[in-house]
Amino acid sequence: MSKILEICAGSLASCIAAQEGGAQRVELCDNLGEGGTTPSYGTLAMARGKLGIKLHAIIRPRGGDFLYSTLEFDAMAHDVEVCRSLGLDGVVLGLLTADGDVDAARTRELAALAGPMAVTFHRAFDLARDPRRALEDVIAAGCTRLLSSGQAPSAPQGAALLSSLREQAGARLTVMPGAGVRAGNIAELAAASGCVEFHASARGMAESGMRYRRGGVGMGVPGVDEYARQETSAALVRELRDALDRL
């Protein structure tokens, strides 16, 4: 079976690099330093216009936990509708209750709003207290894909649980490993998990083009170099694609 490579992209440039490197799908996010939040309307619209591969967008109003207020949930619902109106192929979301279970009712509501778009439940799953129950809740809510590290710091470390979840889900849902997936470990991860779709960032450092740089004044998190950023590398995507094609 052909293996699918999804790239987590944090900008339009990263989306294009993912496509150039041979990815079949992009998950477009903003604020990757916080685990990803919903991109702007303009970014989503331009990405849809420039990509010939499948485009999914994360629906996440903020960083932090996955317990959302009514206001936050309403914003998520509007964002799902925006993605549908722009012709995206899918949305990526995750909601938990205060007790660490999947918020099945709200997830089901967002999945219904998504209409024909694919719905992926993201790594909020990895913070759920009971993964087997959580998987059943994700499936019952109408999600068709689960992005997970197997409740471990990285997908290679969680490969055993990922394999078990894949077997539990059967044909009802696709389990897609993500976190720490690289060209050097993707073959072993595929063998250990039995999965056929994989999620990676394939990012490298991109230096700022600014020649004048004022020191001592920061605009973001203290200690973070604002004149360097991470972008998806087409070369790294190609390495991942080549590794999968050899399987």
Side-chain angles (χ1 to χ4, degrees):
M1 181 180 294
S2 177
K3 305 295 193 297
I4 302 296
L5 177 61
E6 174 182 281
I7 294 297
C8 177
S11 69
L12 289 169
S14 288
C15 287
I16 293 168
Q19 180 169 265
E20 290 176 349
Q24 290 105 320
R25 186 171 61 237
V26 162
E27 181 202 21
L28 180 54
C29 307
D30 199 0
N31 296 313
L32 287 177
E34 294 190 25
T37 58
T38 306
S40 72
Y41 180 95
T43 299
L44 290 168
M46 287 192 66
R48 178 67 294 172
K50 290 184 176 295
L51 292 183
I53 60 176
K54 291 188 180 298
L55 174 62
H56 293 188
I58 194 169
I59 305 297
R60 189 180 179 210
R62 57 164 172 78
D65 63 34
F66 301 100
L67 177 66
Y68 296 115
S69 70
T70 299
L71 284 174
E72 290 168 335
F73 177 76
D74 289 346
M76 295 171 78
H78 282 298
D79 284 334
V80 170
E81 292 173 335
V82 164
C83 290
R84 189 184 66 219
S85 72
L86 287 171
L88 269 66
D89 301 289
V91 289
V92 183
L93 49 85
L95 305 89
L96 299 178
T97 69
D99 292 321
D101 298 314
V102 170
D103 189 337
R106 282 174 149 187
T107 302
R108 187 178 302 109
E109 187 173 340
L110 293 180
L113 284 174
M117 295 188 295
V119 180
T120 300
F121 196 95
H122 61 48
R123 289 191 60 215
F125 177 91
D126 292 324
L127 302 180
R129 61 176 175 170
D130 182 344
R132 302 191 185 283
R133 173 183 170 182
L135 178 63
E136 294 301 324
D137 287 341
V138 166
I139 293 170
C143 300
T144 54
R145 181 177 292 103
L146 172 66
L147 169 61
S148 174
S149 65
Q151 296 201 329
S154 72
Q157 292 170 281
L161 179 57
L162 288 166
S163 178
S164 179
L165 293 170
R166 177 188 55 77
E167 292 177 357
Q168 180 182 339
R172 298 179 296 164
L173 170 142
T174 298
V175 174
M176 178 173 62
V181 177
R182 299 179 176 84
N185 62 23
I186 198 167
E188 182 178 354
L189 175 60
S193 66
C195 295
V196 297
E197 296 193 11
F198 300 88
H199 173 98
S201 60
R203 292 198 298 269
M205 294 305 299
E207 185 71 13
S208 169
M210 289 292 297
R211 290 188 296 272
Y212 173 73
R213 304 185 181 191
R214 179 180 292 279
V217 179
M219 297 293 168
V221 177
V224 173
D225 183 0
E226 293 172 344
Y227 294 103
R229 65 187 186 281
Q230 290 193 326
E231 295 280 6
T232 297
S233 161
L236 292 177
V237 175
R238 197 169 295 113
E239 288 179 9
L240 282 159
R241 182 70 266 163
D242 289 346
L244 283 177
D245 289 342
R246 288 193 293 270
L247 298 180

